[in-house]
């Protein structure tokens, strides 16, 4: 029997790879498809706003619901919804009613499904591999996700976008269908135990928020990631105008644009695979501080050069360290949070960390419209560098104090989490 058919982690990785490949193709293809309808920086940036807005408005209730529902089942439904939405957009566009506003509507719906899928995916991992293996598992999982989302996805997205809206949106829809089929082979129940008394959704959301706010380290990390994503969303939302077309700064074609974006993946895959060893060598604190400084190279790159080879090299370095940040901080978050709260903690964390993305996209569009695309890169660079003032809070003592504050998943009188391991009862295969 193959590894994919035997081990839950391998199945989870396969489904995640397919889902992230679809996501990478879609997020590259959509702005390129949108160029058929408009060249307005505000409207192009608005697509990123529409696709990330659900993280701002739906993250908290999604986290509470994920902690109530079976997490694998939630991922199944979310991926199915994303596929169906894209098929409907293609059908409507095929009738001659395609428009930028149709892309907006599809983007919002896909974004809502993404919130549920991604919150479930991060929350289910400790149930599959156990907390002792999280940093290694996250390194491997992030490497695969980056390879598919940022390495394979962008060039495929650039190619399919040139073939028309049916291919551009049909391809990621098919990938999400395949992800659903793989998840169906992941047997078991991935629902956490809950206290006997019933609680309201509002109370559940409040418990997750209080848990995050009472953990200074997690709160600081969430704020820092939020600022990073604000800057990234701002310049990323208008970068296609800087890069693509004969009048742009880089003069790239759609396919070349997709290839350039894969430089993020080169560094990210390498960083994900060695993050565990790098953290052991440099220390987690030093690794995180260097990652903050390196993140400024992303918006600064277009200001420093229009040579695509040099720009790509800068982005490889930056993405290498950002991937290291992701592995260390996500593993910390999963290790410091009891399973019964992990969905809510992830959603509260991402409200701060990812909820800034639609705001960043809106700011990027407004700045680009008013002052030109170059101004967005300047603001993004300044904001990224300003985060170094917060990095002084990421000390070894604070990390140790946070890990000493870990509480048990459940009180003795509460039900235990139900997990049917795949082929051997009670087994948790290492990644």
């Amino acid at each position: 029997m193959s590894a994919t058919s035997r081990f839950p982690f391998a199945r989870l990785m396969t489904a995640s790879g397919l889902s992230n490949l679809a996501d990478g193709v879609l997020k590259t293809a959509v702005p390129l498809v949108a160029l058929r309808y408009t060249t307005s920086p505000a409207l192009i940036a608005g697509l990123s706003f529409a696709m990330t807005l659900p993280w701002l408005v739906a993250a908290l209730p999604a986290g509470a619901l994920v902690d109530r529902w079976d997490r694998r089942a939630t991922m199944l439904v979310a991926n199915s919804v994303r596929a169906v939405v894209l098929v409907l957009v293609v059908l409507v566009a095929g009738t001659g009613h395609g428009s930028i506003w149709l892309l907006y509507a599809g983007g919002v719906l896909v974004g809502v499904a993404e919130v549920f899928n991604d919150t479930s995916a991060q929350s289910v991992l400790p149930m599959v591999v156990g907390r002792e293996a999280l940093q290694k598992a996250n390194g491997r999982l992030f490497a695969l996700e980056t390879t598919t989302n940022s390495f394979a996805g962008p060039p495929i997205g650039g190619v399919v976008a040139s073939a028309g809206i049916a291919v551009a949106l049909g391809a990621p829809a098919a990938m999400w269908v395949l992800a659903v089929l793989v998840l169906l082979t992941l047997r078991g129940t991935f629902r956490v135990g809950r206290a006997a008394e019933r609680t309201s959704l509002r109370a559940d959301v409040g418990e997750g928020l209080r848990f995050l706010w009472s953990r200074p380290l997690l709160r600081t990390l969430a704020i820092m990631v939020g600022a990073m994503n604000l800057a990234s969303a701002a310049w990323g939302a208008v970068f296609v105008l800087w890069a693509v077309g004969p009048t742009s700064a880089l003069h790239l074609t759609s396919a070349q644009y997709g290839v350039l974006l894969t430089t993020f993946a080169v560094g990210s895959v390498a960083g994900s695979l060695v993050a565990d060893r790098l953290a052991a060598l440099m220390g987690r604190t030093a690794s995180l501080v260097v990652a903050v400084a390196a993140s400024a190279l992303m918006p600064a790159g277009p200001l420093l050069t229009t040579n695509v080879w040099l720009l790509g090299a800068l982005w490889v370095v930056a993405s290498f360290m950002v991937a290291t940040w992701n592995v260390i901080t996500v593993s910390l978050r999963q290790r410091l949070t009891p399973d019964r709260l992990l969905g809510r903690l992830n959603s509260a964390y991402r409200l701060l960390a990812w909820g800034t993305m639609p705001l960043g996209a809106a700011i990027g569009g407004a700045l680009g419209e008013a002052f030109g695309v170059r101004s967005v890169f300047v603001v993004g660079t300044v904001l990224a560098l300003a985060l170094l003032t917060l990095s002084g809070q990421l000390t070894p003592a604070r990390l140790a104090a946070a890990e000493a504050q870990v509480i048990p998943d459940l009180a003795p009188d509460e039900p235990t989490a139900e997990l049917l391991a795949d082929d051997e009862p009670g087994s948790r295969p290492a990644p």
Side-chain angles (χ1 to χ4, degrees), residues 192-260:
V192 295
R194 290 174 58 85
E197 68 273 10
R198 289 184 173 273
T199 56
S200 67
L201 194 64
R202 180 177 179 179
D204 286 352
V205 168
E207 186 180 10
L209 287 171
R210 287 191 299 273
F211 184 87
L212 173 61
W213 205 251
S214 67
R215 268 58 180 179
L217 177 65
L218 293 179
R219 185 175 68 233
T220 299
L221 291 173
I223 291 171
M224 293 180 72
V225 176
M228 290 182 194
N229 284 336
L230 178 73
S232 178
W235 72 264
V238 297
F239 181 69
V240 66
L241 297 170
W242 181 265
V244 178
T247 61
S248 69
L250 300 184
H251 311 295
L252 300 179
T253 65
S254 294
Q256 290 170 335
Y257 170 76
V259 172
L260 175 61

Side-chain angles (χ1 to χ4, degrees), residues 9 13 16-17 20 118 121-122 125 134-151 264-276 319-320 322-334 350 354:
F9 181 66
M13 280 192 67
S16 178
N20 276 273
D118 289 7
Q122 284 202 345
L125 185 61
L134 280 173
Q135 194 153 293
K136 179 185 282 188
N138 275 314
R140 294 185 179 183
L141 193 58
F142 286 172
L144 175 65
E145 290 175 353
T146 302
T147 300
T148 53
N149 192 306
S150 302
F151 188 77
F264 290 114
V266 173
S268 294
V269 170
S272 297
L273 291 174
V274 304
D276 197 29
S319 57
F320 178 94
V322 169
T324 302
W325 167 287
N326 288 336
V327 171
I328 293 173
T329 59
V330 172
S331 299
L332 267 173
R333 191 164 80 235
Q334 293 167 334
R350 284 186 164 187
W354 288 31

Side-chain angles (χ1 to χ4, degrees), residues 368-429:
E369 195 79 49
F371 304 107
V373 173
R374 186 180 182 87
S375 69
V376 186
F377 302 134
V378 173
V379 172
T381 302
V382 171
L383 180 57
L385 290 173
L387 287 175
L388 288 171
T389 60
L390 286 177
S391 62
Q393 299 187 40
L394 306 179
T395 64
R398 291 195 77 192
L399 267 64
E403 290 175 320
Q405 199 178 3
V406 175
I407 60 176
D409 282 340
L410 294 167
D413 59 338
E414 290 178 336
T416 57
E418 180 183 6
L419 170 62
L420 301 180
D422 196 39
D423 296 295
E424 299 179 46
S427 67
R428 281 186 173 180

Side-chain angles (χ1 to χ4, degrees), residues 29-51 89 92-93 96-108 165 169 237 240-241:
V30 164
L32 294 171
V33 170
L35 291 176
R36 301 166 184 262
Y37 303 119
T38 182
T39 57
S40 164
L43 289 176
I44 294 292
L47 281 169
S48 294
F49 178 86
M51 296 178 75
V89 171
V92 172
H97 292 87
S99 68
I100 187 70
W101 307 115
L102 178 64
L103 295 180
Y104 270 64
V108 169
I165 189 171
L169 302 187
V240 66
L241 297 170

